[in-house]
C-alpha cells in the first residue's frame, strides 16, 4: 500500500515555503519602491494640476521644461542605478569597505553630473528656440527651468541613498520619505504659485522652487535615516566623503553608462510613439495619452519588483549562491506576470470605467476619444504582460553584472523591432494607434524573451562567477 504524501511535501506546504523564502521578501522590498514611484507620479500630477490653473501657455511651457529636465534626470538615474547591483554584490561578499566606497562614489557622480546638466538647463530657452518653439513659450519655459534645475542635485542624491537603502533591504523608509516630499511639494506649490497666505505669487518659478524644496525634504529624511539608524550608521556613508576613489567611480560609470543609455532609449521609444499616434489626429493622440497614463500607473508594480530582484539577485550572486539567484530571479518574474495578468483582465473587462475618469462627457469629442482609448487598452493588456517580463529580465541580468548585452537587446528591441512594427502597422497598414501599440508590444516582447532566455542560460554563458 502506497504511503500518503507527507505534509511537508504537499503543494500547500511548498507554497508556504516559497512565500517565506522568496515571494514575501520580494514583495516586502518591491512594493514600497512601487509605492514611492506612484507617489512620484502624484507629485508630477499635482504640479500639472496647479500650473494648469495659470493658463494654457504656462502649462505648455512647464511641459517643455519638465520634459527636458526628465531626459537629463533619466540619464543621471541610469548612471547612479549602478550603485544597486555593485553594492548588492559587495554586500553579498561581505565586503563592507567596497560597499561603502560604492555609495560614496555614487554621491560624487550625483554632484559631478550636475555640472554639465545644469549647463544645459541654463540655456533651456535658447535650446527650445533652436527646436522651433514659440519665443514666448520658450521664455516662460526658460524661467521655470532656472528654478527647477536646483532640484536635480537632491533628486540624484536621493537615487544614491535609495540604492544604499534598497541594498540594505530598508525600502519602507523610501516610501515614507517620498510621501513627506509629496506633502511639501503640494504645500509649496499652493503657497508660491498662487501667492497664498501672504507669500509672493511666483507662478512658474514658484512651482520650480516647490520642486526643489520637496526633493530636498525627501533627501534629508533619507539621509537622516541612513546615517542614524542603528544597523546603517556603522557603514558611515558620509565618512571621509571628500576622499576620491577613482577606480570605484570608474567602475560605477562602466556599469551605469549602458543602463543610462537603455533608460533614455526606452523613454525615447514612448516619445516616438506619441509622435506616430499624433500623425493619426488629435483624437487618437488624446486617447493614446489616456491609455499611456493608465498603463504607467500599473507598471509601477513590476518596476518596483524589478528593483527588488536587482538587489536580491545581486546579493545572492555576491554570496555565490546559485540556488538563491535562480529563486530570486524566477520568483520576481512569476509575481510580476501574475500582477500584470490581473491588470490585463481589468483592461479587458472594465476599459470604459478606467478611461471615463479622464474624460468630460459634456465635450462632444469625448465619446470618440473613449472608443479609441478602449481599443488601445485592449492591446495594452498584452503590452503590460510583456513589459513586466522585460523589466524583470533586464534587472535579473543587471543583478548578475551583465550590462552590455541587455543594452544591445533593448536598443534592437525598442528602436528596430518596436519602431519598425509601429510604423508598419500603425502607418502603412492603416491600423492607426492600435498598430502603434501593437508595435510597442512586439518590441517589448522581443526584449522580454531574449533577456529571460539569457537569464535561464546564465550558467552556460558564464554569468555566474565563483
Amino acid at each position: 500500500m502506497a504511503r500518503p504524501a507527507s505534509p511537508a511535501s504537499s503543494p500547500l506546504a511548498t507554497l508556504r515555503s516559497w512565500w517565506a523564502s522568496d515571494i514575501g521578501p520580494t514583495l516586502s522590498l518591491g512594493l514600497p519602491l512601487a509605492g514611492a514611484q506612484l507617489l512620484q507620479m502624484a507629485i508630477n500630477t499635482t504640479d500639472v494640476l496647479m500650473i494648469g490653473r495659470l493658463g494654457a501657455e504656462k502649462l505648455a511651457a512647464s511641459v517643455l521644461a519638465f520634459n527636458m529636465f526628465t531626459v537629463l534626470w533619466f540619464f543621471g538615474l541610469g548612471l547612479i542605478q549602478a550603485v544597486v547591483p555593485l553594492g548588492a554584490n559587495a554586500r553579498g561578499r561581505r565586503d563592507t569597505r567596497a560597499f561603502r566606497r560604492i555609495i560614496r562614489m555614487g554621491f560624487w557622480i550625483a554632484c559631478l553630473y550636475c555640472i554639465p546638466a545644469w549647463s544645459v538647463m541654463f540655456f533651456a530657452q535658447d535650446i527650445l528656440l533652436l527646436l522651433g518653439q514659440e519665443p514666448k513659450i520658450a521664455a516662460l519655459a526658460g524661467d521655470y527651468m532656472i528654478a527647477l534645475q536646483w532640484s536635480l542635485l537632491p533628486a540624484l542624491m536621493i537615487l544614491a541613498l535609495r540604492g544604499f537603502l534598497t541594498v540594505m533591504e530598508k525600502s519602507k523608509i523610501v516610501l515614507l520619505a517620498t510621501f513627506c516630499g509629496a506633502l511639501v511639494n503640494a504645500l509649496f506649490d499652493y503657497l508660491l504659485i498662487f501667492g497664498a497666505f501672504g507669500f509672493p505669487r511666483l507662478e512658474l518659478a514658484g512651482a520650480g522652487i516647490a520642486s526643489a524644496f520637496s526633493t530636498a525634504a525627501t533627501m534629508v529624511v533619507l539621509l537622516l535615516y541612513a546615517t542614524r539608524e542603528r544597523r546603517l550608521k556603522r557603514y558611515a556613508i558620509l565618512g571621509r566623503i571628500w576622499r576620491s576613489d577613482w577606480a570605484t567611480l570608474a567602475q560605477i560609470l562602466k556599469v551605469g553608462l549602458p543602463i543610462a543609455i537603455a533608460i533614455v532609449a526606452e523613454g525615447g521609444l514612448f516619445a516616438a510613439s506619441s509622435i506616430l499616434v499624433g500623425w493619426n489626429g488629435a483624437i487618437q493622440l488624446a486617447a493614446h495619452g489616456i491609455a499611456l497614463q493608465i498603463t504607467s500607473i500599473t507598471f509601477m508594480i513590476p518596476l518596483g519588483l524589478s528593483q527588488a530582484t536587482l538587489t536580491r539577485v545581486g546579493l545572492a550572486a555576491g554570496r555565490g549562491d546559485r540556488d538563491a539567484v535562480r529563486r530570486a530571479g524566477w520568483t520576481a518574474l512569476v509575481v510580476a506576470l501574475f500582477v500584470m495578468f490581473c491588470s490585463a483582465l481589468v483592461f479587458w473587462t472594465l476599459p470604459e470605467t478606467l478611461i471615463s475618469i479622464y474624460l468630460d462627457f459634456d465635450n462632444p469629442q469625448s465619446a470618440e476619444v473613449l472608443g479609441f482609448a478602449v481599443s488601445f487598452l485592449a492591446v495594452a493588456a498584452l503590452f503590460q504582460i510583456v513589459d513586466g517580463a522585460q523589466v524583470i529580465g533586464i534587472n535579473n541580468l543587471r543583478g548578475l553584472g551583465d550590462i552590455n548585452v541587455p543594452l544591445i537587446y533593448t536598443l534592437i528591441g525598442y528602436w528596430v523591432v518596436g519602431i519598425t512594427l509601429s510604423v508598419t502597422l500603425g502607418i502603412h497598414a492603416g491600423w492607426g494607434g492600435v498598430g502603434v501599440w501593437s508595435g510597442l508590444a512586439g518590441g517589448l516582447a522581443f526584449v522580454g524573451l531574449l533577456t529571460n532566455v539569457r537569464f535561464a542560460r546564465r550558467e552556460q554563458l558564464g554569468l555566474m562567477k565563483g
Side-chain angles (χ1 to χ4, degrees):
M1 180 174 168
R3 295 175 60 187
S6 66
S9 61
S10 69
L12 183 58
T14 301
L15 180 59
R16 286 174 177 168
S17 175
W18 188 21
W19 181 277
S21 64
D22 291 287
I23 299 177
T26 297
L27 293 175
S28 179
L29 185 59
L31 290 182
L33 296 173
Q37 296 293 142
L38 287 170
L39 280 172
Q40 189 61 54
M41 290 183 67
I43 291 172
N44 298 339
T45 301
T46 301
D47 288 344
V48 170
L49 289 174
M50 293 200 184
I51 293 172
R53 293 174 62 185
L54 298 175
E57 287 185 342
K58 290 176 182 177
L59 179 59
S62 72
V63 170
L64 287 175
F66 186 75
N67 284 342
M68 181 184 293
F69 178 92
T70 300
V71 170
L72 292 167
W73 180 79
F74 273 166
F75 198 84
L77 162 67
L79 294 177
I80 296 173
Q81 195 179 58
V83 163
V84 177
L86 293 173
N89 192 272
R91 187 182 174 219
R93 300 192 314 268
R94 300 180 184 273
D95 191 342
T96 301
R97 185 181 181 189
F99 182 29
R100 181 165 51 240
R101 286 181 172 181
I102 289 166
I103 302 303
R104 288 176 183 166
M105 289 302 101
F107 294 148
W108 271 56
I109 288 173
C111 296
L112 293 172
Y113 176 73
C114 281
I115 297 172
W118 279 334
S119 300
V120 173
M121 292 177 183
F122 184 79
F123 293 102
Q125 178 179 348
D126 303 290
I127 293 170
L128 292 172
L129 287 172
L130 287 173
L131 293 174
Q133 300 301 314
E134 296 179 19
K136 184 177 180 180
I137 302 297
L140 288 170
D143 291 342
Y144 178 43
M145 185 68 88
I146 292 298
L148 181 64
Q149 67 182 357
W150 303 115
S151 64
L152 182 63
L153 178 57
L156 295 177
M157 294 291 284
I158 286 169
L159 294 174
L161 287 164
R162 277 183 58 164
F164 171 62
L165 293 166
T166 302
V167 172
M168 294 303 298
E169 298 172 275
K170 297 285 187 178
S171 60
K172 292 181 178 65
I173 186 61
V174 176
L175 178 61
L176 175 61
T178 308
F179 178 73
C180 292
L183 292 179
V184 171
N185 183 74
L187 174 63
F188 279 93
D189 264 352
Y190 182 68
L191 295 176
L192 298 178
I193 291 175
F194 307 113
F197 300 108
F199 281 78
R201 182 183 174 93
L202 301 177
E203 299 193 345
L204 283 179
I209 294 169
S211 295
F213 279 160
S214 65
T215 51
T218 304
M219 183 192 73
V220 168
V221 172
L222 293 177
L223 189 60
L224 287 174
Y225 185 84
T227 54
R228 296 191 178 186
E229 198 272 341
R230 181 180 58 83
R231 283 188 58 214
L232 303 180
K233 65 181 181 182
R234 68 187 181 89
Y235 286 91
I237 58 174
L238 295 183
R240 299 181 179 178
I241 190 69
W242 60 88
R243 292 190 62 177
S244 61
D245 186 340
W246 300 113
T248 300
L249 190 143
Q251 183 184 23
I252 294 173
L253 290 177
K254 181 180 178 181
V255 173
L257 190 58
I259 296 176
I261 294 171
I263 290 173
V264 171
E266 185 172 9
L269 172 69
F270 285 97
S273 74
S274 296
I275 293 171
L276 293 176
V277 174
W279 290 350
N280 291 284
I283 298 295
Q284 289 201 38
L285 184 57
H288 171 76
I290 292 172
L292 200 57
Q293 177 70 17
I294 294 171
T295 57
S296 296
I297 292 171
T298 56
F299 180 67
M300 291 303 105
I301 298 177
L303 180 60
L305 294 174
S306 75
Q307 294 167 350
T309 195
L310 174 61
T311 301
R312 298 189 71 239
V313 168
L315 288 169
R319 297 193 303 269
D321 189 337
R322 285 172 160 76
D323 185 58
V325 167
R326 175 185 59 80
R327 289 186 288 106
W330 294 130
T331 296
L333 180 63
V334 169
V335 173
L337 291 178
F338 175 77
V339 169
M340 297 311 260
F341 180 73
C342 291
S343 71
L345 288 178
V346 175
F347 289 178
W348 282 323
T349 56
L350 299 171
E352 293 89 352
T353 302
L354 296 174
I355 297 160
S356 296
I357 297 171
Y358 296 87
L359 294 174
D360 176 7
F361 285 96
D362 290 334
N363 187 322
Q365 294 180 319
S366 292
E368 194 175 358
V369 172
L370 175 64
F372 280 114
V374 167
S375 64
F376 295 169
L377 274 192
V379 181
L382 295 174
F383 166 96
Q384 288 269 279
I385 294 171
V386 296
D387 204 8
Q390 67 97 24
V391 75
I392 296 294
I394 288 170
N395 279 296
N396 279 340
L397 294 175
R398 288 174 181 168
L400 295 174
D402 185 26
I403 306 297
N404 293 321
V405 172
L407 171 62
I408 295 171
Y409 291 166
T410 57
L411 292 177
I412 295 174
Y414 299 159
W415 286 97
V416 178
V417 178
I419 290 296
T420 300
L421 284 175
S422 291
V423 171
T424 300
L425 298 176
I427 307 302
H428 298 301
W431 291 14
V434 169
V436 174
W437 277 82
S438 300
L440 292 176
L444 294 170
F446 176 88
V447 177
L449 177 63
L450 291 187
T451 52
N452 283 290
V453 167
R454 185 170 174 82
F455 181 73
R457 300 185 64 237
R458 61 195 176 279
E459 296 281 359
Q460 300 96 304
L461 296 171
L463 302 181
M464 286 295 302
K465 301 177 177 62

